[in-house]
Each structure stands twice: as C-alpha cells, then as structure tokens.
Amino acid sequence: MTMKTIRQHEHGDIDQLKLEAVEIPTPSAGQILVKLHAAGVNPVDTYIRAGTNGYTAQMPHTPGIDGAGTIEALGDTGHHHFQVGDRVYITGSLTGSSAEYTLCETAQVYPLPDNTSFIEGACVGIPCATAWRALFQRGQAQPGETLLVHGASGGVGLAAVQLSVAAGLTVIGTASTEAGRQLIKDQGAQLVLDHNDDNHIEDLLEWTHGRGVNIALEMLANVNLGHDLSALSSGGRVVVVGSKGTVTINPRDLMKRDADIRGMSLFNTSPAEMKAVHSALYAGLASGSLKPSIARTFSLVELGEAHTTVLKPGSTGNIVITINE
Ligand code: NAP
C-alpha cells in the first residue's frame, strides 16, 4: 500500500518539494503509525528544507515536525496507554508530517483532547510547547507578574498570550498589523502595541508607570534585545525565542536591574521536562484555556506556498496543511 507524501531530494527553495507516492511504513516494536489529518507548518520547517540556520536533513526528506490524526497501527510493545483509533497529536516523527501517514516513536505521540480539532492539534507540538517552556521553564513566570510577548501574533506568541493569561500574568503583546493586534487582544492581552512603531517601548513604560515588565519573550532578538533590556523591571528576564542575526546591547541595562538574558531551544528540552510541558498543554487544551489560532490552511500539494506564508509579516496565528479530509 502506498501513501502520498511531500519529499525533497536536496536542500533548497520550495521548488524542491515534490508530491510522491511511497510505501506506508510498518511500525516496529515501540513505534506508532499515525494517520494524519493535519500537519502544522513552523518557521523551523523552512530552515530545515533550505539547510539554513544550522539545520540539515537526511535526504530524501519529508518536511514537517508537527501533526495530528488517529493511531492506525501499533508496533509490538511499549504502548500501554494508546489504542488503534485514538486521537493524537505528534511532535517529531521518523518519516515527517507532510504525508498521509507518519511513523513515530512512542515519546513523539500525545493524546489529543476531544474538544481540540485535528487542525488545532497540529499546532500544539512546536508553538505551544515553545511558549510553555519559554514562560515557565526558562522564564520562571509567576502569577501576578507582567509579561511582554514581543511578537505575539504568530504561533508561539499567541500560545504564550493564552498560557500566561490563564496563569494570572498581566500580558502586553505586539504585532505589526491591526488584525494581529486585535487577535492578541481577543486572547486576553491587556495592552497591544506595534513592534514597528519606534515609540512602543516608551508606550509600554508609560502604561506600566515606569516599572517595566518582569519577563519579555522575544521573537526577534536581533532587532529588539537592546530595547527589551530597557523595558525590564528589577530582576527581569528576557527569554530569547527567535533571532535572525546579531545585536548590540548595553550591559549596564542588565547590571542596574540584576536582569538576565536567557536563551532557549525547544530541542534542548529533556524527556522529563517534555513530559511536564505536554501534561500542562493537555490540561490547557482540555479546559479550553489553550486553543491554537489558525491563520490559514493549505492542502498537501500547497506545502511550498505554506512555507512561504509562514515567513511573511502580518501573522495571525498558525499555518496548517490539511490531509486525509
Ligand atoms: P510566526 O508564526 O511566523 O510568527 C512570527 C512572529 O514574529 C509574529 O508575531 C511577527 O509579528 C513577529 N515579528 C515580526 N517582526 C517582529 C519584530 N520586529 N519584533 C517583534 N516581533 C516581530 O513564527 P512562530 O512560530 O511564532 O516563531 C517565532 C520565532 O521563534 C521564529 O523566529 C521561530 O523560528 C522561533 N522559534 C524558536 C523556537 C526555539 O526553540 N527557540 C521554537 C519555535 C519557534 P508580525 O507578523 O505581526 O510582524
């Protein structure tokens, strides 16, 4: 039996992405075959496709880390908590998520609550896990603190707004468009600003009566890091989630506040930390406080257009590929 999949045979532009037919994989012991209904598209998929930002892939490569669907088959052992037909989301796989089926290790598969659609479930893996790790594992966010999500209109940013509002933080979010700012406000942010407005950090300081924020989650550190430091309160932390180059900072901004700059990569998360992250995400999804926002869906053959769209300015949430619908 064959399945449709997108494959590339060398790194490069979106024209490397081809629709192909390959054998449906058979799960070995400890593996799970998932029939995908949707695949999330994240900026990192485009870096892996292109072979940029330090990412490479073994060829042929099927792009896509995140997805959601149902369990089609289980290998011999190690799946005590899953059955064929279960609704799941995946983050990571052995064969890629831009395909009708994907083969996973058990640790890459998580239960999807009934109230969460497959399209929403396909946006949990990287965006929501990154937001949770940035806020609570790296940022050590506490109820009552004030947070700046610098770049709140994309997949990670909107999840961060939802998770931090639910945790009792006061949230300030930024976006470059009116649609993005409205979406952030709808998720519960108390103040929305335009990160392309040169005065937005002054506006933040005025709104916080000069106190600044306890935490900043930074999506574009090469542009904003220096300004973030001047927006921190005493003991403040900046968590660097995204960056596309170098930046100049004034270390005195850190010294006078006892402030920290903390990097993070989701790929550094330990298995124990990952278990904590996904347990918290399940609880958020099931209670409805976490609900991925979908900006646009594409079909499998439109993966290239989805890769182009996820990097465009004017974000309003997650980009998703629909499959097997
Ligand atoms: P996305 O959906 O494409 O969203 C990008 C976000 O960045 C949007 O909110 C966008 O706002 C905002 N942005 C653009 N210019 C900005 C500026 N000058 N200042 C502040 N924000 C700006 O991407 P994502 O999935 O949310 O990921 C965000 C970043 O984190 C990407 O660079 C991604 O590669 C990175 N990331 C890192 C990790 C990690 O483990 N460290 C994990 C996941 C993602 P507008 O479109 O409104 O301008």
Side-chain angles (χ1 to χ4, degrees):
M1 285 271 284
T2 61
M3 65 170 182
K4 287 184 209 146
T5 184
I6 300 288
R7 295 209 298 181
Q8 60 181 121
H9 294 265
E10 51 190 274
H11 288 295
D13 221 329
I14 58 169
D15 54 13
Q16 296 296 332
L17 302 174
K18 311 282 186 210
L19 183 68
E20 296 183 2
V22 302
E23 283 293 308
I24 298 175
T26 304
S28 305
Q31 297 178 344
I32 299 177
L33 182 68
V34 176
K35 181 178 183 179
L36 290 165
H37 289 257
V41 176
N42 293 291
V44 69
D45 299 341
T46 72
Y47 314 151
I48 296 170
R49 183 206 73 230
T52 54
N53 295 346
Y55 291 97
T56 56
Q58 208 178 341
M59 299 294 157
H61 170 67
T62 293
I65 293 171
D66 287 347
T70 51
I71 293 192
E72 182 74 9
L74 297 163
D76 280 345
T77 55
H79 311 289
H80 306 298
H81 52 301
F82 285 123
Q83 290 179 1
V84 169
D86 281 357
R87 303 173 83 252
V88 293
Y89 69 91
I90 64 150
T91 187
S93 67
L94 302 166
T95 55
S97 67
S98 303
E100 291 181 300
Y101 295 84
T102 190
L103 189 63
C104 298
E105 302 286 5
T106 308
Q108 295 168 324
V109 181
Y110 296 91
L112 186 66
D114 288 341
N115 67 343
T116 307
S117 71
F118 291 122
I119 290 176
E120 290 164 347
C123 310
V124 176
I126 290 185
C128 299
T130 299
W132 205 91
R133 177 167 170 76
L135 282 168
F136 301 112
Q137 290 179 337
R138 299 295 294 137
Q140 293 167 312
Q142 301 294 329
E145 289 193 316
T146 301
L147 166 76
L148 166 64
V149 184
H150 220 163
S153 51
V156 176
L158 284 166
V161 171
Q162 293 179 1
L163 291 167
S164 53
V165 166
L169 282 90
T170 298
V171 181
I172 301 166
T174 75
S176 65
T177 63
E178 191 52 48
R181 289 191 289 277
Q182 186 59 51
L183 191 55
I184 299 163
K185 205 157 202 180
D186 292 344
Q187 312 303 317
Q190 270 115 324
L191 177 68
V192 290
L193 298 166
D194 178 354
H195 45 238
N196 289 340
D197 176 350
D198 288 343
N199 295 321
H200 74 282
I201 295 294
E202 282 95 80
D203 293 344
L204 177 154
L205 286 168
E206 192 182 319
W207 190 80
T208 58
H209 306 288
R211 284 192 289 271
V213 297
N214 305 102
I215 312 179
L217 295 198
E218 183 48 64
M219 303 302 154
L220 200 57
N222 55 301
V223 173
N224 295 319
L225 188 59
H227 307 296
D228 290 337
L229 302 185
S230 63
L232 290 180
S233 59
S234 178
R237 318 55 104 187
V238 180
V239 182
V240 177
V241 178
S243 186
K244 297 192 171 154
T246 58
V247 61
T248 301
I249 64 159
N250 183 350
R252 295 203 75 82
D253 286 332
L254 290 170
M255 291 159 63
K256 65 185 174 198
R257 295 175 173 83
D258 277 5
D260 290 343
I261 301 170
R262 303 177 183 179
M264 74 142 277
S265 167
L266 189 61
F267 298 120
N268 293 334
T269 313
S270 70
E273 288 173 324
M274 207 51 116
K275 192 175 171 200
V277 169
H278 287 281
S279 300
L281 296 181
Y282 185 93
L285 292 167
S287 74
S289 61
L290 177 63
K291 189 171 177 61
S293 288
I294 311 304
R296 214 172 143 188
T297 61
F298 293 87
S299 66
L300 191 56
V301 289
E302 295 171 326
L303 181 66
E305 204 184 332
H307 273 207
T308 303
T309 304
V310 79
L311 295 182
K312 278 188 185 156
S315 311
T316 51
N318 296 278
I319 305 296
V320 183
I321 301 295
T322 55
I323 310 165
N324 281 315
E325 289 217 310

